[in-house]
Amino acid sequence: MSSVERTQVAIIGAGPAGLLLGRLLERQGIEAVILEARSREYCESRIRAGLLEQGSVDTLVEAGVGERLQREGIVHGGIYLQLDEQRTHIAMDELTGSSVTIYGQTEVVKDLFDARVASGGRLLFGVEDVRIADLETDRPSVHYRHNGSNHELQADFIAGCDGFHGVSRQSIPEGVLQLWQREYPFAWLGILAQVAPSTDELIYARSAHGFALHSMRSHEVSRLYIQVDPAEDIADWPDRRIWDQLHLRLAAPGWSLQEGPVFEKSITPMRSFVAAPMRYRNLFLAGDAAHIVPPTGAKGLNLAVADVSRLAEGLAAHYASGDDSGLEHYSDRCLERVWRAQHFSWWMTQMMHTDPSDDAYGDQLSRSQIRYVCNSRAAATSLAENYVGLPFASTLGG
Ligand code: FAD
Ligand code: DHB
């Protein structure tokens, strides 16, 4: 026997997408239950993205979860692009009028958990055997096990916010979704180190030894990445080996990289993936459940925020006035942004990484592209407006 519960929106997954959707709905007086497979501790310690577009910051602030973000987030007006030992500053704020904010995904998730607990909204951790049923009806449901017993959650709508490996996308009948994907022949090895960043703004570097990125989490914690083979085992990367590669790849005249104790390290494969449409009947996909980008453009988290903002708007209009146009256009509107981010992330990735499967000609093309971005205001502006994120004002008068 299952216990049966009813809600307006069943949200699967308590990553940034699911948690923020829950928050936005709550602000509109719409009831939701969030089901998460992992523990709260696990979710809060999963180290991932760190860069928020201005639009994402605005959304979090409007949702009432931006207080710590505004206090602790570090606003960056630009980035450095580096080719071999030549480093060029790209002044995003000057080129676009917008900036980005460094604030860890872990912190966004903690703030959203705290807000959910404070408001008393339903959020269950450690749910198992999650299964979507009755999708062909107007009353879809989610079946799951929690604390050893079976439960059924009936809802008007289901939001699949359960990431790339979740069950939501897989619950859509075969033949409905069109899929596009690309795997890359490299991965990112990322570390967190207890040391003040050696740079005021992020450095994206391409060198003969491969890609490196110097980012940060605070004025005391540095976040650094290097390109490695996806088959690498993290056990083969003692701290010394990582720092040596970072020194080699980030070297620039008159600049030095400060080292500190490494307290987190992991390897992330890189892929591009899109599933469309992002809706099947009353099931809506949002965030990584529908699309993945390689991290070079820092878009994954920002896309998740944009998706759920649109979904919350559509659901709010549905419940307020029966206007379903937002829900009907949800997928198309999200996919416009998604494909721009897909192209930008692919473009940044191929420009900045050394592709072991590419020939010497391809290597020269990417190097030429970096020099062009660093030397042409038009090319730099194109990178900048993509990096700071849509929407950007039309400069063509259209
Ligand atoms: P997720 O954060 O994946 O959240 C999905 C949630 O659903 C998880 O909590 C998961 O436990 C839960 N879940 C899964 N299956 C079920 C189920 N069956 N039932 C219930 N719950 C379930 N982006 C960047 O911009 N920069 C980066 O440096 C960067 N690094 C990354 C590193 C890694 C290892 C990964 C995986 C992603 C990284 N990303 C990065 C991408 C970014 O973190 C994601 O785009 C973002 O987390 C998307 O949020 P989400 O809520 O859609 O999905
Ligand atoms: C970070 C990650 C990215 O993928 C990126 O492009 C910039 C910064 C980060 O983790 O800080």
Side-chain angles (χ1 to χ4, degrees):
M1 258 307 276
S2 295
S3 75
V4 180
E5 187 184 356
R6 188 157 175 81
T7 191
Q8 290 176 298
V9 183
I11 300 176
I12 307 179
L19 287 169
L20 180 58
L21 178 63
R23 177 71 183 173
L24 294 169
L25 294 179
E26 186 184 306
R27 306 275 280 187
Q28 300 285 341
I30 301 168
E31 188 192 78
V33 176
I34 307 179
L35 303 173
E36 166 59 46
R38 304 289 194 151
S39 67
R40 177 171 177 169
E41 296 67 36
Y42 181 91
C43 294
E44 284 186 347
S45 58
R46 202 164 31 192
I47 305 296
R48 289 186 175 176
L51 191 137
L52 297 175
E53 295 171 2
Q54 188 57 46
S56 301
V57 172
D58 294 344
T59 302
L60 291 163
V61 170
E62 279 160 27
V65 286
E67 194 253 330
R68 196 162 66 95
L69 160 61
Q70 285 181 304
R71 204 174 57 239
E72 296 178 14
I74 308 174
V75 175
H76 280 187
I79 58 165
Y80 296 96
L81 268 194
Q82 183 169 329
L83 178 58
D84 299 326
E85 298 209 353
Q86 187 162 356
R87 188 175 295 170
T88 306
H89 188 245
I90 310 286
M92 312 264 182
D93 48 1
E94 196 197 298
L95 293 166
T96 68
S98 285
S99 47
V100 295
T101 300
I102 292 290
Y103 191 68
Q105 180 169 330
T106 42
E107 307 313 304
V108 173
V109 163
K110 273 183 211 161
D111 295 344
L112 286 163
F113 278 151
D114 287 347
R116 185 94 191 154
V117 170
S119 68
R122 296 263 286 146
L123 164 56
L124 303 182
F125 291 100
V127 300
E128 296 170 286
D129 302 334
V130 175
R131 185 171 59 80
I132 295 176
D134 310 316
L135 252 187
E136 307 299 332
T137 73
D138 288 338
R139 186 171 278 213
S141 60
V142 185
H143 296 252
Y144 62 95
R145 283 180 69 73
H146 191 237
N147 292 335
S149 49
N150 295 322
H151 301 267
E152 178 181 345
L153 178 62
Q154 298 177 347
D156 301 333
F157 299 99
I158 299 176
C161 302
D162 47 354
F164 182 68
H165 300 287
V167 295
S168 301
R169 192 180 65 251
Q170 266 118 37
S171 307
I172 296 176
E174 214 168 316
V176 171
L177 294 179
Q178 191 171 357
L179 309 179
W180 295 264
Q181 57 190 321
R182 184 166 290 188
E183 305 266 337
Y184 296 87
F186 32 79
W188 275 16
L189 188 163
I191 60 166
L192 281 171
Q194 194 66 49
V195 58
S198 305
T199 178
D200 57 341
E201 295 186 324
L202 271 53
I203 308 168
Y204 289 82
R206 179 184 178 123
S207 78
H209 307 276
F211 170 78
L213 168 60
H214 189 329
S215 181
M216 60 197 73
R217 284 292 174 273
S218 67
H219 296 296
E220 294 83 35
V221 173
S222 296
R223 175 76 166 147
L224 297 128
Y225 297 96
I226 50 171
Q227 166 188 353
V228 297
D229 188 291
E232 286 283 348
D233 184 346
I234 194 74
D236 295 329
W237 285 87
D239 297 354
R240 187 69 262 142
R241 186 177 174 202
I242 299 171
W243 286 115
D244 287 348
Q245 281 299 314
L246 285 165
H247 283 290
L248 273 175
R249 299 179 192 196
L250 290 167
W255 181 85
S256 60
L257 175 66
Q258 301 307 310
E259 296 183 13
V262 173
F263 61 93
E264 207 277 337
K265 61 177 155 182
S266 58
I267 294 179
T268 309
M270 286 164 75
R271 70 160 67 84
S272 299
F273 172 83
V274 180
M278 290 169 59
R279 172 190 190 175
Y280 177 68
R281 297 187 64 105
N282 286 2
L283 167 64
F284 291 83
L285 302 178
D288 278 16
H291 42 73
I292 299 280
V293 284
T296 327
K299 291 287 165 227
L301 173 57
N302 293 295
L303 285 177
V305 170
D307 286 354
V308 296
S309 303
R310 284 218 183 280
L311 185 50
E313 274 168 28
L315 290 167
H318 167 86
Y319 283 112
S321 62
D323 173 5
D324 280 347
S325 58
L327 294 178
E328 277 153 20
H329 296 298
Y330 168 75
S331 178
D332 287 346
R333 289 197 180 142
C334 288
L335 285 165
E336 236 176 81
R337 175 183 292 267
V338 165
W339 276 113
R340 179 85 305 273
Q342 287 286 337
H343 177 269
F344 177 64
S345 303
W346 163 83
W347 178 80
M348 276 284 276
T349 299
Q350 54 84 30
M351 179 170 75
M352 298 309 298
H353 291 71
T354 308
D355 183 342
S357 63
D358 204 359
D359 56 14
Y361 178 80
D363 187 58
Q364 289 301 326
L365 290 182
S366 299
R367 290 170 159 272
S368 169
Q369 182 67 37
I370 299 174
R371 283 192 291 268
Y372 181 46
V373 170
C374 292
N375 291 307
S376 153
R377 190 175 175 89
T381 305
S382 172
L383 181 147
E385 67 182 3
N386 278 282
Y387 193 85
V388 301
L390 291 171
F392 29 86
S394 169
T395 51
L396 301 177

